[in-house]
Amino acid sequence: DAGVIQSPRHEVTEMGQEVTLRCKPISGHNSLFWYRQTMMRGLELLIYFNNNVPIDDSGMPEDRFSAKMPNASFSTLKIQPSEPRDSAVYFCASRTHAGGASTDTQYFGPGTRLTVL
Amino acid sequence: QKEVEQDPGPLSVPEGAIVSLNCTYSNSAFQYFMWYRQYSRKGPELLMYTYSSGNKEDGRFTAQVDKSSKYISLFIRDSQPSDSATYLCAMRSHSGGGADGLTFGKGTHLIIQP
């Protein structure tokens, strides 16, 4: 199993540019989470999907952020336009959604390190 | 007040020592408690999982939850240099849907000196 795959691993862009981060969850997992990690705020949940449907996007900081999950094997997080304060490591995680405590393990990808100049 | 408080450290201890890591939280609805380990420039990985109050042991690791005090702990016995990492506590409430996102502490940076 390849685990959760994220691309790109590093992204450097200039303020105002559009940024798209990509995630491929573990095959068979039907919940997907996007997190952002900074030194100041730690690891924060941005949005999560169950069966490709967005369930809770209350963590998305503002309208410049959007996320989609067109199918069970792919999700994107887009920032448009990007700002320097968006610089962070963005993690994608996936898990099986079966409603029971035994399936609560979230598997994290390696993250995308975003720098906005 | 943040929902989950965790001392960022760094916490430096000699090899073989017992390590105690802690988090406090304010949301009494939290029922599922986890500890994740994160190595530098890697994603977090689940280390321990506990439901409600009580203790859970797995090898050198013991997780404790005291819901009455809203306090959780992770103990590492016979600490090794390979245990050097950032340890994040995480928790979530119960919901019928089941797949809630997690609320994390900021993490404690642990250094085990050889």
Side-chain angles (χ1 to χ4, degrees):
Chain A
D1 192 336
V4 175
I5 298 172
Q6 292 187 246
S7 64
R9 293 293 308 275
H10 302 271
E11 177 81 20
V12 180
T13 190
E14 292 189 346
M15 182 174 64
Q17 296 298 306
E18 176 181 304
V19 175
T20 299
L21 311 180
R22 297 173 176 79
C23 176
K24 177 179 170 55
I26 292 173
S27 177
H29 285 187
N30 55 354
S31 288
L32 183 140
F33 304 81
W34 282 102
Y35 292 90
R36 178 172 68 177
Q37 187 174 40
T38 62
M39 289 291 291
M40 287 295 294
R41 300 177 67 89
L43 196 60
E44 300 175 293
L45 176 68
L46 299 177
I47 185 172
Y48 76 90
F49 297 82
N50 281 353
N51 298 311
N52 313 337
V53 176
I55 302 301
D56 183 0
D57 65 354
S58 61
M60 296 286 260
E62 48 197 277
D63 291 345
R64 296 184 297 106
F65 285 70
S66 62
K68 294 182 179 180
M69 192 164 187
N71 57 62
S73 59
F74 183 67
S75 177
T76 59
L77 178 68
K78 183 178 293 187
I79 308 172
Q80 180 185 21
S82 59
E83 296 183 4
R85 60 194 168 117
D86 301 331
S87 298
V89 181
Y90 291 81
F91 288 102
C92 175
S94 70
R95 55 159 275 186
T96 53
H97 167 40
S102 62
T103 60
D104 212 4
T105 302
Q106 292 188 21
Y107 295 86
F108 282 75
T112 295
R113 185 172 296 273
L114 174 65
T115 303
V116 183
L117 302 174
Chain B
Q1 179 190 10
K2 278 187 67 71
E3 275 194 298
V4 180
E5 300 280 358
Q6 185 177 9
D7 187 337
L11 175 63
S12 183
V13 301
E15 183 177 355
I18 296 175
V19 175
S20 174
L21 304 168
N22 311 292
C23 287
T24 59
Y25 62 95
S26 58
N27 187 347
S28 58
F30 287 141
Q31 294 195 34
Y32 299 91
F33 304 91
M34 287 139 268
W35 286 94
Y36 279 78
R37 178 175 60 195
Q38 185 177 21
Y39 290 113
S40 180
R41 296 187 176 267
K42 301 287 187 182
E45 56 179 343
L46 183 67
L47 195 60
M48 296 288 286
Y49 178 97
T50 309
Y51 170 66
S52 194
S53 286
N55 294 359
K56 183 174 183 178
E57 187 174 322
D58 184 0
R60 296 185 295 111
F61 299 89
T62 299
Q64 287 186 351
V65 175
D66 182 349
K67 289 188 68 180
S68 63
S69 301
K70 296 188 178 67
Y71 187 87
I72 70 171
S73 301
L74 176 70
F75 298 95
I76 307 174
R77 291 182 299 279
D78 187 25
S79 56
Q80 305 294 313
S82 58
D83 295 329
S84 298
T86 296
Y87 290 79
L88 302 104
C89 61
M91 47 201 78
R92 72 171 181 89
S93 60
H94 177 74
S95 77
D100 289 342
L102 300 174
T103 300
F104 282 86
K106 283 191 176 181
T108 298
H109 182 44
L110 175 65
I111 301 168
I112 308 297
Q113 303 164 340

